[in-house]
Amino acid sequence: MADRLKLELATPTRLVVSGEADEVVVPGVEGLFGVLPGHAPLLIRLAIDVLRIQLEDGRWEVAVVDGGFLHVTNDEGSTRVDVLATSAEMAGEIDRQAAQARLEQAQARVAEGDDAAGRAELAKAMARTGLDG
């Protein structure tokens, strides 16, 4: 079993993260899902929420993903994790004031009626304003 995961987090427009990790915790549509080295091959659909990456020194890096897919492969003891997200931002890239304004706009939109797009915008804004890392 390999000691580290090979990780890539990408969107249609950019490569957000490429490197190694000790663990990745992703928001699947059916709940949080953790991947460690040696994990079995897997494909899951991602929800809009926070993704966490544990680095070699034990620190966690945090990103927000707006849906997409997680693909895990395990070939000859090397575990690779590909996160293909609709959109993704690392915590340090997020403008917290803009995220708060986006949250308030989305809350107002949802309060006006049952709107699937409004609920999706609300989930995106909540993920960005609720970051702790």
Side-chain angles (χ1 to χ4, degrees), residues 20-32:
E20 293 188 340
D22 288 340
E23 181 179 4
V24 178
V25 179
V26 298
V29 294
E30 296 188 19
L32 290 177

Side-chain angles (χ1 to χ4, degrees), residues 12-78:
T13 59
R14 71 183 183 123
L15 181 61
V16 180
V17 172
S18 180
E20 293 188 340
D22 288 340
E23 181 179 4
V24 178
V25 179
V26 298
V29 294
E30 296 188 19
L32 290 177
F33 186 84
V35 179
L36 294 167
H39 199 285
L42 179 72
L43 178 65
I44 65 168
R45 198 172 90 185
L46 298 176
I48 298 167
D49 210 339
V50 175
L51 176 144
R52 298 183 188 283
I53 304 163
Q54 187 176 34
L55 305 176
E56 186 173 23
D57 63 6
R59 289 181 302 116
W60 288 86
E61 288 204 355
V62 178
V64 173
V65 293
D66 292 345
F69 293 91
L70 167 92
H71 184 226
V72 179
T73 56
N74 194 338
D75 186 31
E76 298 179 17
S78 177

